Amino acid sequence: MRRTEALKIITRVLKQPVPDVPPADLITGHSVAVFDPRATERPKPWAIQVDVLALKIAGQLPLEADSEQSPVAQAEDAKRSRDLPGELDILIGAGAALTSAPWYPARPGDLVHVHFEPVGSMAAFGETYLLTAGAHGFLSMKLLCHSLPEDTEFLDGMVGCFTVEDDPDPLSDLWFEAGPHRLTVIRDGRPVHTGGTR
């Protein structure tokens, strides 16, 4: 989860009344929590600005790569919320982030590793792809190896799904669907993009 989203969630929760507790009028921008004067049992008030408290809590949250969403997943969330401008901003921003990366465009010989988080009973695994020159002037991306056991159910449908032949932008699907935070791009033996690094 991105820190800004965590901050919004925490602020919303802090403002929301808690059942069986005298409600507090916690207003962002006010430095004192004003409690309902009609409450028979009044908790000891504490004074803090709500957005400051939310910022302090959000600052303590772990930021793990597996909690981030791919651009496609973010856009789907915006679509479910009927936020068309947000959906477009996410997709356009992700495309711009790819095409403006200092190592873009991909080159023959680049290695791309994608890390997948565990899902259900399946353990985390990774795939490594090699970019090669395509037959018609573009690039192909072929699966070199993966770390799933060979007896994994539905193995054929799970690995190698980002293989492309003679594609003008072979990294596009990986970037949007898996997410840049799950990708490592290696060029000439050196990492040029390490998505899991902060």
Side-chain angles (χ1 to χ4, degrees):
M1 175 185 304
R2 297 188 182 278
R3 192 175 296 276
T4 53
E5 288 304 310
L7 186 58
K8 288 178 190 174
I9 291 166
I10 292 166
T11 303
R12 186 178 69 240
V13 169
L14 287 172
K15 291 179 181 180
Q16 178 180 329
V18 179
D20 303 324
V21 173
D25 181 18
L26 301 172
I27 302 171
T28 301
H30 288 70
S31 59
V32 178
V34 181
F35 291 92
D36 185 350
R38 298 168 297 197
T40 55
E41 290 184 25
R42 295 168 64 180
K44 292 185 179 183
W46 46 267
I48 190 167
Q49 193 168 317
V50 172
D51 51 349
V52 171
L53 177 61
L55 186 59
K56 286 180 178 271
I57 295 170
Q60 298 299 312
L61 292 175
L63 292 178
E64 299 173 4
D66 65 353
S67 64
E68 291 186 37
Q69 290 185 307
S70 70
V72 166
Q74 291 176 46
E76 286 173 356
D77 285 348
K79 185 175 184 177
R80 278 191 291 277
S81 301
R82 300 179 190 274
D83 180 9
L84 181 59
E87 181 183 359
L88 292 174
D89 284 348
I90 290 163
L91 295 174
I92 291 169
L98 173 60
T99 58
S100 66
W103 49 266
Y104 183 87
R107 298 180 193 164
D110 285 355
L111 292 172
V112 182
H113 180 79
V114 58
H115 170 77
F116 295 99
E117 298 301 326
V119 177
S121 61
M122 187 179 354
F125 73 100
E127 294 179 330
T128 303
Y129 292 86
L130 171 65
L131 283 114
T132 60
H136 303 289
F138 296 117
L139 292 175
S140 296
M141 193 162 64
K142 302 184 183 311
L143 179 69
L144 278 183
C145 60
H146 64 85
S147 60
L148 273 177
E150 292 302 321
D151 61 351
T152 302
E153 190 176 6
F154 308 117
L155 181 68
D156 290 338
M158 297 193 62
V159 298
C161 62
F162 292 107
T163 298
V164 294
E165 291 291 333
D166 222 27
D167 192 305
D169 198 356
L171 296 181
S172 183
D173 285 349
L174 259 176
W175 189 267
F176 279 87
E177 293 180 30
H181 62 287
R182 290 198 174 104
L183 302 183
T184 301
V185 180
I186 298 169
R187 177 170 294 157
D188 301 328
R190 296 180 180 267
V192 293
H193 173 79
T194 51
T197 303
R198 296 199 185 290

